[in-house]
Amino acid sequence: MRSAAPAPRVIAVVGPTAAGKSDLGVFLARYLNGEVVNADSMQLYRGMDIGTAKLTTQERGGVPHRLLDIWDVTQTASVAEYQRLARAEIDRLLAEGRTPVLVGGSGLYVRGAIDALEFPGTDPQVRARLEEELSVRGPGALHTRLAAADPEAARAILPSNGRRIVRALEVIEITGKPFTANLPGHDAVYDTVQIGVDVARPELDERIAVRVDRMWEAGLVDEVRALEAQGLREGRTASRALGYQQVLTALAGGCTDQEARDETVRATKRFARRQDSWFRRDPRVHWLSGAAGDRTELPQRALTLIERAVTA
């Protein structure tokens, strides 16, 4: 079914986890004769289904979803590679006269797809030295150094995220500029309408708790155990995914199953706050309520917003 009004070139549905982005993306793609392009960094991995809340084939409602299940869990995530793949999908859909609907909460991936963003190269020697220091001193010491060199980057990167801290310090050393200086401005590559799905914190926290319980009931532990046999524990990116990291710790005897579940809830709530902060900084995002009381009106409100943006 086609919209009565012309669609923008690209639509992006963004916001924190558990807000309701996936269902809205399916609706818009179907209504606007488009396809969903995944912008969730962990849904790129094959087999990471339950813990990433990946839509089932039935839930996708016949709408093609691109960039799902394309990487093995041993592959290290690369925003630059995602950018290349996402733009290829977007360009293909535009050439076919169809609407790309980018859906996900990985802020840098969304920006990499739709905005002018160039990625600094890497220096193997610098990277090796920083990784050695990480292994010896731990992420906290490197995070302290990052805070002195680039306070804004330090605020955006968790003190426990050694991989991202190393990358930020590497970029600073290579370029001589703050890591945040290499983040994108608001220079768009595509004509895009960004829709943020907003849910008040108490309701979102409750949704997250319920979602984590359902993941455990759906077999997350078995999913992680199966992926561990495929190299998940060695995967530098996938092994740190919410839920997966906690279950791996439990399987190794580092905590109980209940402790892993509780920590997944806490970590996901923290992550949702960081997602919200990231997207709030972009003035181009139009926010719509995804609260339970507004859920039935959300699709039509999104269409109205899109039509106004096109005719403005």
Side-chain angles (χ1 to χ4, degrees):
M1 181 166 59
R2 293 180 179 271
S3 169
R9 292 173 63 80
V10 179
I11 297 169
V13 181
V14 303
T17 188
K21 301 183 298 296
S22 297
D23 290 341
L24 179 59
V26 168
F27 171 84
L28 293 175
R30 181 185 297 118
Y31 192 88
L32 298 169
N33 185 34
E35 297 181 2
V36 169
V37 179
N38 168 52
D40 181 314
S41 61
M42 295 303 164
Q43 292 193 7
L44 292 159
Y45 288 103
R46 279 186 289 272
M48 294 178 64
D49 302 330
I50 298 172
T52 66
K54 195 177 293 177
L55 292 184
T56 65
T57 301
Q58 183 176 4
E59 289 169 333
R60 296 172 202 171
V63 173
H65 280 58
R66 307 301 179 183
L67 303 189
L68 292 177
D69 306 317
I70 62 171
W71 290 344
D72 291 331
V73 293
T74 54
Q75 182 167 339
T76 300
S78 164
V79 184
E81 175 63 8
Y82 171 80
Q83 180 187 65
R84 183 185 69 80
L85 296 170
R87 289 187 179 178
E89 293 291 350
I90 291 170
D91 291 342
R92 175 185 61 81
L93 287 163
L94 294 176
E96 295 173 0
R98 307 185 69 199
T99 303
V101 181
L102 199 67
V103 181
S106 298
L108 192 56
Y109 282 60
V110 174
R111 299 292 295 279
I114 64 175
D115 286 342
L117 172 58
E118 296 182 2
F119 297 94
T122 186
D123 185 315
Q125 291 184 336
V126 173
R127 173 68 64 89
R129 173 166 45 80
L130 289 168
E131 288 182 341
E132 173 65 20
E133 187 174 352
L134 174 67
S135 67
V136 172
R137 302 184 63 197
L142 269 67
H143 192 267
T144 299
R145 187 197 305 175
L146 178 63
D150 189 344
E152 186 176 347
R155 284 192 292 270
I157 300 174
L158 286 177
S160 60
N161 195 334
R163 184 179 64 86
R164 288 197 64 200
I165 295 168
V166 164
R167 175 56 177 163
L169 289 172
E170 179 191 22
V171 169
I172 291 170
E173 186 165 339
I174 291 172
T175 66
K177 298 185 294 185
F179 178 69
T180 47
N182 293 281
L183 295 178
H186 295 146
D187 300 321
V189 174
Y190 300 101
D191 178 13
T192 305
V193 172
Q194 296 189 60
I195 300 171
V197 184
D198 181 34
V199 179
R201 186 58 53 193
E203 181 178 347
L204 188 64
D205 284 350
E206 177 60 26
R207 287 191 195 182
I208 288 170
V210 170
R211 173 180 280 192
V212 170
D213 283 343
R214 288 176 177 169
M215 287 175 176
W216 248 260
E217 293 163 5
L220 176 60
V221 174
D222 288 338
E223 179 174 279
V224 174
R225 188 177 287 112
L227 290 171
E228 185 180 17
Q230 299 174 29
L232 174 62
R233 195 174 290 277
E234 290 72 45
R236 295 179 59 189
T237 306
S239 65
R240 294 183 172 90
L242 291 169
Y244 297 86
Q245 179 179 7
Q246 288 76 17
V247 173
L248 284 171
T249 299
L251 292 176
C255 67
T256 67
D257 181 78
Q258 186 61 50
E259 287 170 340
R261 185 187 298 212
D262 293 343
E263 176 54 28
T264 299
V265 172
R266 288 191 293 268
T268 305
K269 289 178 181 179
R270 292 193 298 268
F271 178 61
R273 285 166 170 76
R274 294 199 304 277
Q275 288 177 299
D276 189 69
S277 295
W278 172 280
F279 291 113
R280 294 284 177 187
R281 291 196 295 267
D282 192 334
R284 300 168 301 175
V285 177
H286 304 272
W287 291 93
L288 296 175
S289 174
D294 298 321
R295 189 172 296 168
T296 56
E297 288 80 23
L298 177 60
Q300 187 55 52
R301 288 174 179 170
L303 287 176
T304 300
L305 188 156
I306 291 167
E307 291 168 1
R308 286 175 180 169
V310 171
T311 57

